[in-house]
Each structure stands twice: as C-alpha cells, then as structure tokens.
Amino acid sequence: MAGLGAAALSASLSPASPAQADQSLRLEAQLATIPLGPGQAPTTIWGLVPSISPLRLKGGQVEVTFRNRLPVAAVPDWRGIDGAALAEPLIARPAVPPGAEATFPLPLRRAGTFFADLRLLAAPGAPPSRPLPFIVEESVPIAVDRDEIVLIEDWRAGATASRPETAGEPLFTVNGQVLPDIPVRSGERLWLRFINGSQQQVFAVKIEGLEVRVIAMDSAPAEPFPARNSALVLAPGGRVDALIDATVPPGSVSQILLHDGQQARPIGRVVASGEASIRPSPLPLPPALPADGLPAQLDLKSALRAELALDGAEWVTPAGLSAAAAPAFKVRRDRVIVLALSNRVALATSFHFHGHHFRLLDRLDDGWKPFWLDTLVIEPGQTQRIAFAATFSGRWLIESTATRWGAPRLVRWYSVD
Ligand SMILES: [Cu+2]
C-alpha cells in the first residue's frame, strides 16, 4: 500500500549502492520560450536542459558536463549542495564562453531537493532564468503515495530586470503552468517539494484545509514539525519539503494559495478524485531524514565570532568578482563560526551562503531553530545570528540580494583552509 511513488521509482533504477554511484549528467544552457497563457506571446527564457528527465540522482559523485549554448558567458550555480569545491561558480568554475563546455565533479552527500540555475551571471535586461530542480534520492525511501516537485516562479509582463518599474502584476506559475491542478486520491500521503524559483520574492504558501509537516528545508533534513498555520514561508531560492496527508473527502478541491506580503492569490489546486479514501487513517509519521554530512552538535562557546554587514560596501557584482578581492572572513577547517548578519539597507535582503548549511540562532539564548538553511531573509535594520561548522576546505561564495524584482545580485567570498 505504501511507498507507491518510491517503489515505482526504485524499480527503474539500477541497484548500485549510493556510495558507489557513478553518474554523469549533461546540462545545456539554452534560450527557450515558455507560454504563459492564452493571448500572451511566449516569454523568452534562459533554461538548463538536462540529459536525464525527470532529474533524479543517487547520492555519491556525479560528473557534470555543462555546455553553454547561450549567446553570453554562463555558469551554473548549485543550490543546496555543500562542499562542492570544484563546482563552485566563479571561484572554481569561471564563466563558460558561448559554445564552450566544462566538465567537473559534483559530490552529492545528502538526499533532498535541489536546483541549478544560471542567474549568477545574468546581466540586467537578460531574459529570466528558470531554475532546474532535481532530486537526490533517499537511500532508504520513505513511504509516500506521491512525490512531486512544486516549483513556483513569478513573471512580469513587459518588465526587464533593468526596468522593474515597468512591471505589471506578477503572474505566478507552478511547474511552469498557470493555475495547474495537482490530482490526488483522498487519503494519500504526498511529499511535496516546494521551491521558491521566483526572481526575488519572499512568499508563503498554504493549501486550504490541509496540514503540512515540514521534513526538510533548503535541501537539508529538519526535525519534522507542523508548519505554523499550515503556511510555508519561502525565501527567494528557498526550498521546503513537506508531507501532507490528503485528508479531504473524495471529489474535493483545495486551493493552493500564495501570499506575497500584500495579498493572497490562488496559484493552483489540489483536486481529489472521486474514488474512496485510499486508507482508513493516515500512515504513521516517518522518522526524521538522515542528516548526512551535517554536524550533530555545534559548540558555540568556543566558536569564532565574526560580523558581516549586508550594506553594499565591499560587495561586488558576480561579474566583478576578482581573485584579488579580500575574503569576507577566513576560518580554519572544522572550526565553528557564529556570524552576525546585519542588514543596513532599506530593503529586506536575502543572504545566501555557499559551501555549508547554517543554523539560525535564537535571539535570546544559544539555542537554534530545528532546521538548517542556506538562505535567510533579513529585514531592514535587523541583525540575525547564524552558526555553521566549517567542514569543507575551499573558497565559497556569499550572495546578498535585495528582495525586489531586478535588484542586483552582490557577492563576496569566504575561505576555509
Ligand atoms: Cu548560489
């Protein structure tokens, strides 16, 4: 009864164990178009087209060959993958010129929901880049009836990144579709992998009448917890994996609502078939997902403390990052670092960390939230403290971008020796 999605999936894969997985993946950066509804001209986009689709990988090492078929230099960025020193964009992987390709290893230490995108080098006025979501499979599958990516993106007719003021009302799509239906059967357990693929928008998502249980955030396992008010808040580029029991009557329709801070709008529907419920009561809750590669403890008392201001000073555009630029901070391998991040600009700003996941520290004591993150939105004037263990040697990017359509991406870097 259980594990339908997972069982069907593992049957189609070779039985190689994750540690020995030897996979290769070709990715092509291409110009493409996406239709955004009747009466609208197709929108030109930058896309990443994979040689495997849907893109599900096994843990272990994957050899990536990236071919750039765009008219401009490009480099893929990997959201959620820790310690991939040889894949680190701009630092290990210079921009790939048009028509050229690059091959490099990408270590996949942990299962989860990830994406790659080309936004790092997108100049103002470039077409929007679509994230390419991918899943690294659990070595021990958890029992669910459906396992689906829910990629949410925003579009603005007539707006270019350099002229955001021309933007009309945003249009949100789910998996590239306007107002799609997600079909379910009453009683099914869904694993929905929400991805905020918007340009710069923070939003909350909720499915009417359904409770959601968070099991992972930003591609890292969380101690499972029920989402407050059943709403999932997603930073730009953020990911939340949620288990949802479709405890709805046969034939019912639940709106998927997105709240962008100003208004709630429907972006799709969960539609139950007319069949009777698949089971009399929900499945038992699964144990937490294994946190491979993440430290069990962080000793904050002996941590190195550093401050990082999100203020524009010393931050550069990705294209302007030079090897001579001084690092934001340097740390010895295996040290624990507590970083105080203060937002000194007038807009909420998204802080995105490469190389390692971090804990968000509580404000009053030395505790932390029961999840790991790689992206955090900081309100104007606020300071947040995060902590991480510098497990992986290398040079890693830090990104800071105001949460406004078309805001420039700014970067610095840090080093772990
Ligand atoms: Cu990034």
Side-chain angles (χ1 to χ4, degrees):
M1 57 150 197
L4 301 183
L9 208 66
S10 39
S12 67
L13 291 173
S14 72
S17 84
Q20 293 149 0
D22 182 23
Q23 312 162 84
S24 63
L25 169 67
R26 282 190 70 85
L27 277 185
E28 286 199 1
Q30 296 179 359
L31 277 172
T33 57
I34 176 171
L36 288 178
Q40 288 210 42
T43 300
T44 300
I45 53 142
W46 286 5
L48 271 171
V49 180
S51 54
I52 308 165
S53 184
L55 190 45
R56 284 184 172 259
L57 299 165
K58 295 187 284 279
Q61 188 116 318
V62 55
E63 186 183 73
V64 177
T65 299
F66 170 71
R67 183 163 191 86
N68 182 11
R69 294 193 184 277
L70 294 176
V72 295
V75 66
D77 187 8
W78 304 90
R79 197 85 163 200
I81 294 184
D82 288 345
L86 296 175
E88 184 66 359
L90 305 180
I91 290 174
R93 298 261 64 86
V96 176
E101 66 178 42
T103 297
F104 50 90
L106 187 72
L108 306 175
R109 294 182 175 82
R110 197 163 51 241
T113 307
F114 302 84
F115 70 79
D117 74 7
L118 297 167
R119 289 178 179 171
L120 210 44
L121 284 180
S129 299
R130 296 199 65 198
L132 171 68
F134 63 96
I135 291 171
V136 177
E137 309 210 313
E138 305 298 322
S139 49
V140 181
I142 70 171
V144 294
D145 301 299
R146 280 168 203 271
D147 177 351
E148 309 219 8
I149 286 170
V150 181
L151 169 65
I152 302 170
E153 294 164 277
D154 64 345
W155 308 87
R156 287 173 195 246
T160 64
S162 56
R163 296 191 60 206
E165 66 279 8
T166 60
E169 271 293 283
L171 172 69
F172 289 91
T173 55
V174 173
N175 296 335
Q177 292 176 281
V178 180
L179 291 171
D181 285 348
I182 298 179
V184 300
R185 180 172 170 183
S186 176
E188 281 184 333
R189 173 164 289 176
L190 324 175
W191 181 344
L192 297 185
R193 302 166 183 263
F194 291 90
I195 298 175
N196 179 343
S198 73
Q199 298 295 322
Q200 295 301 339
Q201 177 77 55
V202 183
F203 55 68
V205 181
K206 146 173 217 164
I207 306 176
E208 272 183 337
L210 289 177
E211 273 179 32
V212 291
R213 195 169 177 82
V214 176
I215 57 171
M217 290 176 77
D218 284 0
S219 316
E223 282 168 37
F225 64 95
R228 200 200 299 170
N229 300 326
S230 298
L232 303 171
V233 179
L234 289 125
R239 289 129 280 147
V240 176
D241 288 37
L243 285 188
I244 299 168
D245 289 315
T247 52
V248 290
S252 64
V253 173
S254 312
Q255 300 278 357
I256 306 174
L257 296 171
L258 178 144
H259 204 294
D260 63 4
Q262 286 170 350
Q263 56 170 307
R265 63 186 100 216
I267 56 166
R269 310 188 303 172
V270 171
V271 178
S273 71
E275 295 162 279
S277 176
I278 194 171
R279 54 179 67 90
S281 56
L283 293 170
L285 289 171
L289 297 169
D292 301 333
L294 291 166
Q297 279 304 322
L298 288 176
D299 181 7
L300 299 184
K301 290 203 177 64
S302 63
L304 186 80
R305 285 169 196 264
E307 281 175 31
L308 192 59
L310 311 184
D311 58 359
E314 298 186 71
W315 293 82
V316 295
T317 60
L321 184 71
S322 97
F329 59 91
K330 267 185 159 173
V331 63
R332 223 158 343 132
R333 195 175 159 197
D334 291 328
R335 288 265 348 229
V336 173
I337 297 92
V338 172
L339 267 182
L341 306 167
S342 28
N343 180 2
R344 309 233 177 99
V345 297
L347 290 163
T349 296
S350 165
F351 165 87
H352 167 48
F353 203 55
H354 282 224
H356 301 84
H357 276 68
F358 57 80
R359 292 286 198 186
L360 175 58
L361 300 186
D362 294 333
R363 290 186 168 278
L364 297 175
D365 56 31
D366 272 351
W368 50 64
K369 301 278 182 287
F371 44 75
W372 294 89
L373 297 173
D374 62 19
T375 304
L376 179 67
V377 172
I378 302 172
E379 297 299 320
Q382 259 196 8
T383 297
Q384 296 278 8
R385 288 181 311 135
I386 63 171
F388 74 102
T391 312
F392 303 111
S393 302
R395 297 168 148 214
W396 311 104
L397 282 183
I398 314 170
E399 298 179 44
S400 167
T401 313
T403 56
R404 188 199 66 195
W405 179 278
R409 252 156 234 280
L410 297 173
V411 295
R412 297 188 70 179
W413 64 283
Y414 70 98
S415 94
V416 180
D417 299 326

